[in-house]
Amino acid sequence: MPPHLLQLLPGTALSGVIAMAATLVSTLHGGPQFLYALFFGVAFHYLSHDAHTRPGIEFCSRTVLRLGVGLLGARITASQIAGLGWSTAAIVIAAVVTTLLCGVLLGRRLGLNRAQAVLSGGAVAICGASAALAISAVLPRNKESERFTLMVVVTVTVLSTLAMVIYPLIAKLLHLPPELAGLFLGGTIHDVAQVVGAGYMLSPETGDYATIVKLFRVSMLAVVVVVVSSLFKRQREASESSSADAKQALVPWFLWVFVALVIINSVGGVPAAVQTGLNDVSRACLVVAIAALGVKTSFRQLARAGWRPFVLLLVETLWMAGFVLAAILMRS
């Protein structure tokens, strides 16, 4: 085995074991898999500066992360998106765009920089922790940005879990039919898994529709990442220390993987069994990446992020829920 691959083994193995432990606990006792992986990783922070484990940890937090995001495209087909109809698509697009704008404007008022505001807005608007990781991959990287990314992952996962419990109750109280309830849940809850859980709590029809709406939001990740990559290209290149990293393409390779899989899946080129396998691999890569990011930080570092990110993410979450709910009530 080449020496550079051998250097990656200890840190990669550590991240993998942490990810498996998080998956086991999530399977046996329920709860968010990403959050478990993050907290378990934080417990091993003392290994982040070890010469044996550091290369593998960096590899997982960057390359494995990007691979996981790219493979998300296997979930989506053009027919799913087309089946939503123009009015539903318009509501979802408007909700995503206004939530991003809300994040940028409020983030500025709270004293956060533009990259942090965009990251939080994208996480809430699109698909929670997965979007936060994808967007962070094309933003300027430093210790503060990694700490903020982890803060966003923690907060958005907690808010998504709370929404999974609360939003179905709101849909019941308002007596929303399955299609509108699915639009509300799929158009507002952050993480795909929580959308599925909330939708099928109400009915199979609601669950199916909520999942399709959510996947439409996930498909917007490609557009958002390209826009963010172009806006922060100079800052990102300036923050990179090596010349190899400094010459990044405007459209990162993992986004090409994402788009290619959507196209191939849309024409029926991905069998159901392969699609399921790619989804599982994508999820596994993201959990391993979260575990590696957890190892790179500490509770003290998370606390340094302060209260502002939490307030920003909470307001963005409430804005998106209120916007979609208002659109649904006007439509009905």
Side-chain angles (χ1 to χ4, degrees):
M1 184 178 292
H4 67 279
L5 292 181
L6 285 174
Q7 291 179 348
L8 301 178
L9 279 180
T12 303
L14 173 65
S15 302
V17 169
I18 294 171
M20 287 189 289
T23 303
L24 178 63
V25 173
S26 177
T27 302
L28 293 178
H29 304 289
Q33 187 183 22
F34 282 164
L35 204 56
Y36 289 144
L38 176 60
F39 285 154
F40 291 173
V42 169
F44 291 89
H45 173 65
Y46 67 94
L47 291 174
S48 61
H49 302 294
D50 188 282
H52 294 91
T53 55
R54 185 168 184 172
I57 292 169
E58 293 291 340
F59 171 76
C60 290
S61 66
R62 293 195 179 196
T63 305
V64 175
L65 160 63
R66 295 172 183 184
L67 176 61
V69 173
L71 294 179
L72 285 173
R75 300 184 181 189
I76 304 165
T77 65
S79 61
Q80 287 174 336
I81 297 171
L84 291 176
W86 286 108
S87 61
T88 297
I91 291 172
V92 175
I93 292 172
V96 169
V97 172
T98 57
T99 300
L100 284 165
L101 292 175
C102 175
V104 172
L105 295 175
L106 182 59
R108 187 180 302 170
R109 296 292 298 272
L110 290 173
L112 301 175
N113 62 46
R114 190 172 58 146
Q116 292 171 333
V118 168
L119 178 62
S120 66
V124 171
I126 303 174
C127 53
S130 301
L133 295 172
I135 293 170
S136 69
V138 295
L139 289 174
R141 295 178 66 93
N142 52 53
K143 288 184 178 180
E144 183 181 353
S145 68
E146 290 184 351
R147 182 170 65 244
F148 188 84
T149 299
L150 287 170
M151 184 66 180
V152 169
V153 168
V154 171
T155 306
V156 83
T157 303
V158 171
L159 291 174
S160 185
T161 304
L162 291 174
M164 180 182 66
V165 177
I166 296 171
Y167 288 7
L169 298 177
I170 296 175
K172 281 185 177 181
L173 288 173
L174 296 175
H175 303 289
L176 296 178
E179 182 177 328
L180 294 182
L183 172 57
F184 174 54
L185 300 177
T188 56
I189 298 177
H190 310 323
D191 189 74
V192 176
Q194 274 87 341
V195 168
V196 173
Y200 287 104
M201 280 183 195
L202 296 178
S203 70
E205 295 81 8
T206 302
D208 291 343
Y209 199 81
T211 302
I212 294 172
V213 172
K214 180 60 185 178
L215 291 178
F216 175 53
R217 283 172 65 196
V218 174
S219 70
M220 296 178 69
L221 179 64
V223 178
V224 171
V225 170
V226 169
V227 172
V228 172
S229 179
S230 62
L231 289 175
F232 290 91
K233 189 172 188 294
R234 289 185 179 179
Q235 290 178 249
R236 186 176 68 253
E237 290 176 349
S239 70
E240 298 290 353
S241 56
S242 66
S243 59
D245 287 336
K247 296 180 179 179
Q248 294 182 0
L250 177 61
V251 181
W253 64 267
F254 66 85
L255 204 57
W256 288 118
V257 174
F258 182 97
V259 173
L261 283 174
V262 172
I263 295 172
I264 295 170
N265 199 27
S266 297
V267 299
V270 182
V274 175
Q275 184 179 1
T276 301
L278 290 175
N279 288 337
D280 291 340
V281 172
S282 172
R283 185 78 178 185
C285 288
L286 292 177
V287 176
V288 169
I290 285 279
L293 286 169
V295 174
K296 292 174 66 175
T297 193
S298 67
F299 286 118
R300 182 179 298 175
Q301 289 176 330
L302 286 176
R304 285 178 188 167
W307 56 270
R308 290 179 178 83
F310 175 78
V311 171
L312 179 58
L313 288 160
L314 178 60
V315 172
E316 290 166 344
T317 298
L318 294 175
W319 167 266
M320 193 163 200
F323 183 93
V324 173
L325 200 54
I328 287 172
L329 294 177
M330 290 175 62
R331 176 176 168 180
S332 58

